[in-house]
Amino acid sequence: MPSSSPAPGVGGEAAASAFRLRPNPEVRVVEEHGTVYLIPPVGRPLRLNRSASGLWRMLAEGRPRDEVVDRHAVDSGCDVATARDEIEQLIASLCENHYLMRAPADAPS
């Protein structure tokens, strides 16, 4: 049975308070017609769909994770638990692929 816990080092209340997310400064972000393109210095660009583009903007702005989850639940029409799982998966993927970085909560921007 798959675990519903967040990916290692990504989620949970302790992780959310101990770390904040920020865009990788080496990744160029291009927005065109409501779509976000993440262009790393090496490798293929990532095109986010409109929904993920909105979530990216919120995460990149450093919005609280609960705010991002609530917005996703409203926009997608899913329950908060499902929205939280989907956001945790998105964050894990963006971090694993170096589009987002984790920084200590008290680190300067």
Side-chain angles (χ1 to χ4, degrees):
M1 177 173 183
S3 169
S4 62
S5 62
V10 172
E13 292 305 315
S17 62
F19 290 95
R20 63 181 173 76
L21 298 168
R22 65 181 181 91
N24 181 340
E26 294 181 7
V27 174
R28 192 166 59 121
V29 179
V30 175
E31 292 194 45
E32 187 173 297
H33 307 292
T35 298
V36 170
Y37 297 85
L38 304 176
I39 305 169
V42 177
R44 297 179 62 179
L46 175 65
R47 177 187 175 273
L48 301 177
N49 64 30
R50 285 186 186 258
S51 175
S53 291
L55 297 171
W56 165 267
R57 286 184 206 94
M58 292 181 76
L59 293 168
E61 290 170 1
R63 300 277 183 90
R65 188 150 321 166
D66 285 343
E67 181 181 338
V68 177
V69 168
D70 291 344
R71 169 57 39 205
H72 181 55
V74 168
D75 290 349
S76 67
C78 67
D79 61 80
V80 173
T82 299
R84 184 170 308 283
D85 288 345
E86 290 176 355
I87 294 301
E88 294 301 335
Q89 290 173 18
L90 175 65
I91 290 170
S93 177
L94 291 170
C95 287
E96 287 167 13
N97 291 290
H98 309 287
Y99 295 110
L100 279 179
M101 300 172 60
R102 293 178 194 90
D106 57 357
S109 297

